[in-house]
Amino acid sequence: MKIAIYSGSIPSTTFIENLIKGVALEHEVLLFGKQTVPTKYKSPNIKIYGTPKNKIVNVMITLFRVLTLMILYPKRFAHLWKELKPYSGWHKRRHALSRLVPVILHKPNIFHIQWAKDIKQWVFLKDKFGVKLLLSLRGAHINYSPIADVELANTYKALFPKVDRFHAVSKAIAIEAQKYQADKEKIEVIHSPIAKTTFDAFRVFEKSNTNCFRMVSIGRFHWKKGYSYAIDAVKLLKEQGVQVHYTIIASNAISEDIVFQIHQLGLENEITILEGMPQDVLFKKVQRFDAVILPSLEEGIANVILEAMALGVPVISTDCGGMTEVVIPNKTGWLVPVRDPESIAKAVQELMQMPEIELQRMTLNAHQFVKKNFNAEASIAQFLDMYKRVVG
Amino acid sequence: MRIGIVLAKTPQYSETFFISKIKGLQTNGFDITLFVQDKHPDFSLCQVRIAPKFYKQKLFKQLLVSVCFLFKFLVYYKRFRRFIQLEQRAGRLLIQSLKNAYNNVHILTAKLDWLHFGFATIAIQSEHVAKAIGANMTVSFRGFDLDVYPLKHPGCYNLLWQRVDKVHSISMYLLQKAYALGLPKNIPHQIITPAVDLSLFKEEPFVKNNPVRFVTVARLHWIKGLQATLEALALLKAKGMDFKYHIIGDGPKYETLMFTIHQLGLSQYVALVGKLAHKETLKELAQADIYIQYSYSEGFCNAVLESQAMGLLCVVSDGGGLPENVLHEKTGWVVEKGKPKKLAKTLLDIINLSEAPKNKIRNQARTRVIEAFGLEKQKMEFCNFFTT
């Protein structure tokens, strides 16, 4: 079976890359989209048909693909030509052509769209070419973009009924997607797999000997991450006489509002911003903290929390999106309401006062919970099963 | 006397602060030229000169502009030489100095007595223009200029502080902030607050709405504290209060705010009205009971002045110059910024107040605006700014 796993860029995010490698153990996986950096896979089952960034190379390759399509599958070419008509202007058509032609040339049996916003440009694959459409329901694309963008919400409502199967990263997002006409019966909750190496890196949690409580958040600077609430919590703790240090590890530049907030609250000594780092280095670093904090306003299920749980680090998370499905109070971590610095501060105080043995019990619980529910093998098996059923 | 005012774009006629400033100066015999990057086709209040652009995609156009620049460079050779010398003495790289000469060619070829930068960030990389053309240099301070920009660009005004001859601040807060950022205290200064056109506001009996109507005029930008405002209103809703809240303005935080409204269950209570013309904005204000400006920082804030003039009860944060605009419990209420619970409590207290103390605050606010923030007063102050 030929399965296209489409995220728009090659390589993709960690969890999509894990999916690609897992599916390639049984099926041929086709990758389309912009190739941002040269990428190679060990598996011969993974085929890259990227759209080069370089304009000249792009034109040459697209031309070659168009000619091949015209010679081998003239009917498909005719359909493609019609598909280009809605794109206005030569520039947009050329872009669309370079994006669409490899997909039609190598026509997969299943086209698995990773980001819901992309659905509009690919729905013709089902209508014209009988390709089965699968759509992943992830974070922002379902949880807030259609709230602010009425046109997008209407697109979802019109096109979701055409999708053959949905993959939801959490139960919460599965419910949210039903607001946009996603058929409940067609949605399967499959958790994002956590790599085995992460579980292998588990360490029994030890309380640090210093008086200063060290907590960390990992993730880019974006309003949905809610860092300002964690910073407010740091201020509250400081006012309560608690020694605390908060580190944010982000792959992008610090946002203006956060710089301003840190300065206004006089927390320059209590807060450190670090640049993103390779995963193995990051995991070792995270294990030196007393807690991982997720102050987000919206998430599907945040991988950083799953990874922290797998690694054996205590977690404090807001109750947004699917987080309630993994962070269970008194069992696997601390769950706090969104937009509530007081609750974060209270959770930190509780965590600080908890005896080491209790923390070890909780982190071990969390580790086992993630291992049981988010292991890669089970997730991949669920995906493979879903693909089989879609094709029938 | 010839004054050049540097702005990003020509002001719209609703931007009373700039328009009245220009008109006032013209009435008093000043010859005004605006130096901008973009000119609105309808703007005709004074002469406008537009900064040259770089045409990366249009090579032929860029070639023409470059030839034009070269021609001006030769005609005004002495000025350009002086400019580049000053840049070099300040330690700027030659390539940067040439870039700055290109970007400032529209000013370097003008005859001026005063060169006034409408805000501080626009003076960066243009610090030597005034001296090169033999003019005095002045600069106005805005909230963002001093409260936010230097945090990401430390030392960005070091050269400006050395070159500026006089500064204008819209609030005492911003002046103090400039001193903290290194402005020498011996540089002459004047505080001229924004002003309102009092002819727009007639004293009418105040009509109370049910449910109570809140309003804010603000760009949808993080600095405006709109998320915190919405969180405060969610607390009012949780207490069973009914209300309407309109936010007038557009901006980059539209998606964030829409999500916030949705997440806080405020969709039936809050409307993002979008940007409105000044006249329409005044109509919206006229229909509201309480004006909220819960910004993290403001230079001063004209909308708060207008709201006071119209008899709205104003609740503002203590961010930037807002406590100078509204006097706590005299002409409105000032609440610690970034504390939604405190804002919610204040709003609730105000709503529960009887009419007499509310009217007292309204009258005091209106009287203060009439006495201290009229356009005529502002016009006079600007004339003095350039003559004393």
Side-chain angles (χ1 to χ4, degrees):
Chain A
M1 193 156 39
K2 288 203 285 188
I3 300 165
I5 296 178
Y6 181 81
S7 72
S9 59
I10 309 166
S12 194
T13 49
T14 317
F15 47 91
I16 296 173
E17 286 298 309
N18 287 342
L19 174 67
I20 291 166
K21 287 170 200 160
V23 175
L25 295 174
E26 276 203 22
H27 299 287
E28 198 176 316
V29 177
L30 314 187
L31 301 182
F32 303 105
K34 263 195 190 147
Q35 202 164 349
T36 45
V37 281
T39 314
K40 271 187 183 172
Y41 294 93
K42 281 181 197 160
S43 167
N45 267 350
I46 303 174
K47 308 271 166 57
I48 300 175
Y49 301 109
T51 316
K53 255 169 81 179
N54 182 292
K55 200 174 165 182
I56 296 166
V57 182
N58 186 328
V59 169
M60 301 289 284
I61 288 186
T62 304
L63 209 62
F64 173 74
R65 284 170 177 165
V66 169
L67 285 172
T68 315
L69 187 70
M70 285 169 91
I71 294 163
L72 296 179
Y73 312 105
K75 270 190 181 173
R76 288 190 200 175
F77 178 75
H79 279 310
L80 169 66
W81 199 246
K82 280 181 203 159
E83 247 354 273
L84 292 176
K85 277 186 182 164
Y87 294 91
S88 58
W90 163 241
H91 188 67
K92 279 187 183 167
R93 274 188 199 170
R94 190 179 64 77
H95 267 282
L97 182 69
S98 68
R99 197 170 56 238
L100 303 183
V101 71
V103 182
I104 294 164
L105 185 62
H106 300 280
K107 207 179 97 173
N109 304 96
I110 294 173
F111 196 80
H112 184 170
I113 305 165
Q114 299 298 315
W115 303 107
K117 278 186 195 174
D118 289 333
I119 189 172
K120 199 177 173 183
Q121 54 175 322
W122 297 112
V123 79
F124 78 96
L125 287 174
K126 182 181 170 79
D127 295 339
K128 301 280 168 57
F129 297 97
V131 175
K132 299 287 181 189
L133 281 188
L134 241 88
L135 183 73
S136 283
L137 304 168
R138 298 180 194 278
H141 286 238
I142 302 299
N143 283 340
Y144 69 77
S145 296
I147 291 167
D149 185 345
V150 180
E151 202 182 318
L152 182 67
N154 290 335
T155 304
Y156 284 178
K157 283 176 190 167
L159 301 182
F160 277 8
K162 294 190 175 194
V163 173
D164 293 288
R165 205 92 194 147
F166 293 94
H167 148 233
V169 293
S170 69
K171 288 177 200 158
I173 211 162
I175 294 166
E176 194 67 23
Q178 287 169 41
K179 292 179 186 166
Y180 307 104
Q181 313 295 334
D183 183 351
K184 190 184 170 188
E185 299 302 316
K186 288 184 181 171
I187 306 176
E188 275 181 56
V189 177
I190 305 177
H191 293 135
S192 302
I194 299 294
K196 188 178 170 293
T197 47
T198 317
F199 295 110
D200 294 343
F202 172 78
R203 250 179 28 188
V204 175
F205 181 74
E206 284 173 23
K207 267 187 139 179
S208 65
N209 296 324
T210 61
N211 289 330
C212 182
F213 185 82
R214 296 170 68 246
M215 55 191 205
V216 65
S217 287
I218 305 130
R220 70 204 160 108
F221 284 101
H222 188 278
W223 64 263
K224 76 166 199 164
K225 296 292 176 191
Y227 290 142
S228 63
Y229 300 94
I231 293 169
D232 276 341
V234 172
K235 176 72 178 173
L236 286 173
L237 289 163
K238 192 181 168 187
E239 282 169 358
Q240 289 161 14
V242 179
Q243 270 195 55
V244 60
H245 195 96
Y246 180 38
T247 302
I248 300 174
I249 303 174
S251 53
N252 60 346
I254 185 167
S255 55
E256 202 176 76
D257 53 333
I258 299 294
V259 178
F260 183 79
Q261 189 188 8
I262 294 171
H263 177 78
Q264 287 272 304
L265 299 178
L267 294 175
E268 288 89 346
N269 294 326
E270 283 76 19
I271 294 176
T272 303
I273 310 295
L274 294 179
E275 276 181 31
M277 52 194 83
Q279 204 174 52
D280 51 335
V281 183
L282 177 69
F283 283 175
K284 278 184 191 148
K285 196 167 185 70
V286 166
Q287 284 177 321
R288 290 202 287 270
F289 283 92
D290 299 310
V292 171
I293 312 277
L294 185 91
S296 293
L297 302 177
E298 179 279 323
E299 293 284 352
I301 285 187
N303 258 37
V304 285
I305 286 294
L306 297 176
E307 284 163 352
M309 288 162 81
L311 291 168
V313 184
V315 295
I316 300 173
S317 166
T318 56
D319 59 359
C320 70
M323 297 316 297
T324 51
E325 295 162 40
V326 288
V327 181
I328 303 155
N330 299 320
K331 285 187 179 161
T332 61
W334 278 262
L335 203 60
V336 296
V338 291
R339 306 174 187 276
D340 193 345
E342 282 92 353
S343 292
I344 298 176
K346 195 169 158 258
V348 168
Q349 293 261 32
E350 278 177 23
L351 203 161
M352 286 176 79
Q353 281 152 20
M354 188 177 262
E356 188 175 66
I357 190 144
E358 276 295 296
L359 282 168
Q360 286 172 345
R361 179 194 60 81
M362 196 186 261
T363 46
L364 186 65
N365 264 349
H367 171 80
Q368 284 164 346
F369 179 88
V370 178
K371 201 170 188 177
K372 186 179 162 207
N373 295 290
F374 293 84
N375 79 75
E377 280 167 27
S379 295
I380 297 296
Q382 275 177 285
F383 273 112
L384 292 176
D385 185 48
M386 184 165 72
Y387 292 145
K388 252 181 224 163
R389 276 183 288 128
V390 163
V391 176
Chain B
M1 196 177 282
R2 293 156 305 190
I3 300 174
I5 300 176
V6 188
L7 294 173
K9 55 185 179 183
T10 47
Q12 291 180 0
Y13 284 91
S14 58
E15 292 179 68
T16 42
F17 183 77
F18 286 116
I19 298 293
S20 71
K21 179 170 160 180
I22 294 166
K23 279 184 181 168
L25 289 168
Q26 283 175 326
T27 321
N28 284 283
F30 292 91
D31 179 10
I32 307 293
T33 307
L34 277 191
F35 297 91
V36 296
Q37 275 136 24
D38 291 300
K39 178 182 182 286
H40 194 276
D42 294 341
F43 186 86
S44 59
L45 195 59
C46 64
Q47 198 192 341
V48 179
R49 286 204 192 187
I50 302 167
K53 292 184 173 66
F54 273 109
Y55 299 95
K56 276 186 187 167
Q57 302 293 331
K58 299 171 184 172
L59 286 179
F60 183 69
K61 199 165 183 181
Q62 183 56 52
L63 193 72
L64 277 180
V65 175
S66 302
V67 169
C68 195
F69 169 70
L70 216 62
F71 177 73
K72 284 177 183 167
F73 189 93
L74 293 173
V75 173
Y76 292 91
Y77 175 69
K78 275 188 181 172
R79 284 183 173 198
F80 278 94
R81 193 183 64 180
R82 204 180 312 147
F83 177 76
I84 288 169
Q85 278 172 349
L86 287 165
E87 293 271 287
Q88 297 285 285
R89 269 182 229 149
R92 283 222 168 106
L93 293 174
L94 182 62
I95 185 83
Q96 185 62 47
S97 308
L98 287 168
K99 260 189 197 172
N100 293 347
Y102 179 89
N103 288 331
N104 286 296
V105 66
H106 59 314
I107 315 176
L108 281 165
T109 52
K111 280 183 185 165
L112 300 169
D113 299 300
W114 289 87
L115 181 62
H116 178 71
F117 289 92
F119 43 99
T121 50
I122 209 167
I124 295 171
Q125 305 295 344
S126 300
E127 295 93 343
H128 297 114
V129 178
K131 201 165 187 190
I133 64 171
N136 290 309
M137 178 183 184
T138 64
V139 65
S140 284
F141 299 148
R142 311 260 139 216
F144 180 86
D145 272 356
L146 302 188
D147 249 351
V148 182
Y149 191 80
L151 292 176
K152 289 193 97 173
H153 305 87
C156 59
Y157 298 134
N158 289 351
L159 196 54
L160 177 65
W161 300 151
Q162 289 171 35
R163 299 290 179 260
V164 71
D165 295 300
K166 194 171 184 180
V167 296
H168 154 232
S169 177
I170 53 173
S171 60
M172 177 53 84
Y173 168 81
L174 284 184
L175 184 67
Q176 294 303 330
K177 191 84 198 175
Y179 289 146
L181 288 167
L183 174 72
K185 290 204 171 169
N186 60 355
I187 302 279
H189 71 268
Q190 200 167 333
I191 294 170
I192 309 172
T193 62
V196 289
D197 185 354
L198 298 167
S199 66
L200 292 173
F201 311 107
K202 289 174 195 134
E203 198 161 338
E204 287 167 3
F206 203 82
V207 184
K208 196 179 160 195
N209 289 300
N210 191 18
V212 63
R213 289 180 76 117
F214 303 113
V215 67
T216 297
V217 182
R219 256 178 329 122
L220 309 183
H221 187 276
W222 66 264
I223 206 159
K224 301 294 179 183
L226 295 167
Q227 285 221 64
T229 309
L230 291 169
E231 285 164 15
L233 294 182
L235 295 172
L236 293 191
K237 186 199 158 202
K239 287 189 189 298
M241 253 205 67
D242 194 11
F243 58 86
K244 290 281 171 206
Y245 177 42
H246 282 189
I247 301 174
I248 303 164
D250 57 15
K253 288 286 170 188
Y254 178 80
E255 191 180 56
T256 318
L257 293 170
M258 282 299 285
F259 177 74
T260 306
I261 292 165
H262 170 81
Q263 191 171 53
L264 296 173
L266 293 174
S267 303
Q268 303 300 316
Y269 298 78
V270 181
L272 298 182
V273 177
K275 198 175 176 182
L276 297 178
H278 189 233
K279 221 175 174 181
E280 300 304 314
T281 305
L282 293 181
K283 272 188 199 164
E284 276 277 349
L285 290 178
Q287 286 168 15
D289 302 290
I290 297 177
Y291 184 91
I292 306 172
Q293 191 78 47
Y294 200 49
S295 304
Y296 289 103
S297 177
E298 285 286 343
F300 197 79
C301 195
N302 228 29
V304 175
L305 276 186
E306 291 184 334
S307 300
Q308 290 179 84
M310 293 179 79
L312 272 79
L313 296 169
C314 290
V315 183
V316 301
S317 76
D318 60 354
L322 283 170
E324 296 169 54
N325 193 325
V326 169
L327 305 178
H328 184 54
E329 292 186 340
K330 285 186 182 137
T331 63
W333 290 264
V334 181
V335 185
E336 190 185 345
K337 61 182 175 250
K339 303 276 182 203
K341 282 181 187 164
K342 288 189 180 174
L343 176 60
K345 187 181 176 303
T346 305
L347 291 173
L348 210 58
D349 289 348
I350 296 168
I351 291 161
N352 291 331
L353 272 181
S354 62
E355 278 309 294
K358 281 187 198 171
N359 281 334
K360 192 179 165 197
I361 296 262
R362 277 191 197 109
N363 291 333
Q364 282 173 180
R366 199 180 247 167
T367 308
R368 182 165 174 258
V369 171
I370 291 166
E371 286 174 6
F373 301 102
L375 273 184
E376 288 310 312
K377 182 171 172 277
Q378 187 209 41
K379 281 180 191 173
M380 283 310 298
E381 284 172 337
F382 267 116
C383 290
N384 290 338
F385 182 74
F386 290 110
T387 47
T388 55

